[in-house]
Amino acid sequence: MKLDRLPTPPAHLVLNGEPANGRYAGRLEAGFDWRGLHAPHMRSWLWRRLHHKRWLYLGLGDEGLFIGLAIVDVGWTCTAFAYLFDRRERAMRVDWSQDGLPGLQAQVSDDPFAAGSSTWFRGLRARLALSSGNDQRMQIQVDTPQLQIEAELDLAAMAPPLLAIGPITGGVAHATQKTSALPLRGQARLRGAAGHEDLDLAQAWGALDASNGLLPRHTAWRWASAHGPELGFNLQQGYFGGQENALWLDGKLIPLGAARFAFDAARPLQPWHVSTDDGLLDLQFQPEGARQDARNLGFAASHYVQPVGRFSGWVRASPDGPKREVHRLLGVTEDHRSVW
C-alpha cells in the first residue's frame, strides 16, 4: 500500500455524533475531543470521569541508552514515570515513578503537538513537561532526584504521523496519534552520591505516542515499537485490534494487518517474534533489559513489562514487493494488563 491509500485526517474526532473511525496519515488538527457523541456512544458524566484515559509517551535512544517517559491521566488518578536503560552495561540506571491527582498534579493535553500545548506532571521533588512551541519544536524537561533532561524534538521533520480512531469493546472509542523517528538534541544528566554524569543526546532519535480514549475497566495489550531515520513501525494486539499497526518506510506511512506476538510471558527477556498477517513484517526481538511494574490495590491493578532491545528481520511495502532487511533496530515491546 502506498501513502495515498491512507486518507487525510478528518476535521474533528467526532462527526455527526459518531467517532470518525479509521486510519489516517497526518495530524488531527482539532485535537482529541469526544464532545458531541450521540447515542449509543453517550455516557454519563461519572462514567466518562472514570473511563476517560489519556497519556503521552516518549521513547528515545541511541547506541548507548534508551529513555522512556510518560504522563498518564486515568481519570481518578494520574501517574508519571521516567527510566534510563544503559544499553552497554545492560542495566537500568534510573527507574522513577510517582502517582498524583489529575488536574492538580498532572495535565495531559488533548492536542500535544499543537503550538502552545503542554503536558506536565508536578510531584514530590519531581517535574516533567513536554511542551510544543510556535517553532514546531517540543521541549522535553525532566527533573527527578536521579535524572535530569533538557532536550527538544523537531516536529517539523516529522514523517506523516499515524492517526487511528476506532471502537472499543466494553468502552466507547479510542484514538491515538503516533510518530516515527524525530530528530532530537539535548542532554541528560544522571545524579548520584558520587556526583553527576552528563550524557549527550545528539545521536538519539525520539518517537511520540499520544493516546486518548473512553476505555473499559479491564484493558490489555501487547505492543512493539521501533524507529530510525528511514524505517519504523508500531504494532498492537489487544484492546484496539489492528487499528494502530503501521510501517514507516523512507518517509511513507504504510498500514499493516493484524499483529502476531509470540513470546514467553513468564520470561519476557527471552526472544520475541512479531509479525503481521499481511506478510509485510516479520521480525525477531532480542531484549537487552526491561522495566517492570506490578500493582494490585484491590479496586485497581496493573501488570506491565516493557523490554528494551533490538529488532532484526525484514519488512516490505507490499505483498509482492522486495524485502527490506532490518538489522538491530532499537525499540521496545510491551505486555500490559490493567484494571483501571
Side-chain angles (χ1 to χ4, degrees), residues 12 186 305:
H12 300 280
V305 57

Side-chain angles (χ1 to χ4, degrees), residues 26 57-61 113 153-163 177-184 204-210 223 225-234 244 246-254 329-330:
Y57 171 89
L58 169 65
L60 65 94
F113 301 146
L153 291 167
D154 185 359
L155 300 181
M158 181 165 47
L162 172 72
L163 170 65
Q177 185 92 73
K178 289 178 165 64
T179 77
S180 190
L182 297 168
L184 178 81
W205 293 84
L208 291 162
D209 174 344
W223 180 55
S225 176
H227 301 278
E230 298 176 352
L231 188 155
F233 66 88
N234 186 88
E244 62 180 64
L247 170 69
W248 287 263
L249 199 57
D250 299 325
K252 295 182 179 180
L253 177 58
I254 301 161
L329 180 64
L330 173 62

Side-chain angles (χ1 to χ4, degrees), residues 1 3 6 47 63 75 79-80 87 107 164 169 188 197 215 218-219 227 246 249 271 275 299 307 322 329 339:
M1 290 187 178
L3 174 61
L6 275 179
W47 191 98
E63 289 299 314
T79 190
R87 299 186 65 206
Q107 176 180 287
T169 301
E197 177 184 355
L215 303 183
H218 295 263
T219 308
H227 301 278
L249 199 57
S275 60
F299 63 90
L329 180 64
V339 181

Side-chain angles (χ1 to χ4, degrees), residues 107 109 111-120 130-137 155:
Q107 176 180 287
S109 172
D111 193 3
F113 301 146
S117 69
S118 182
T119 294
W120 50 263
L130 296 91
S131 305
S132 297
N134 295 322
D135 56 357
Q136 291 192 293
R137 296 184 182 274
L155 300 181

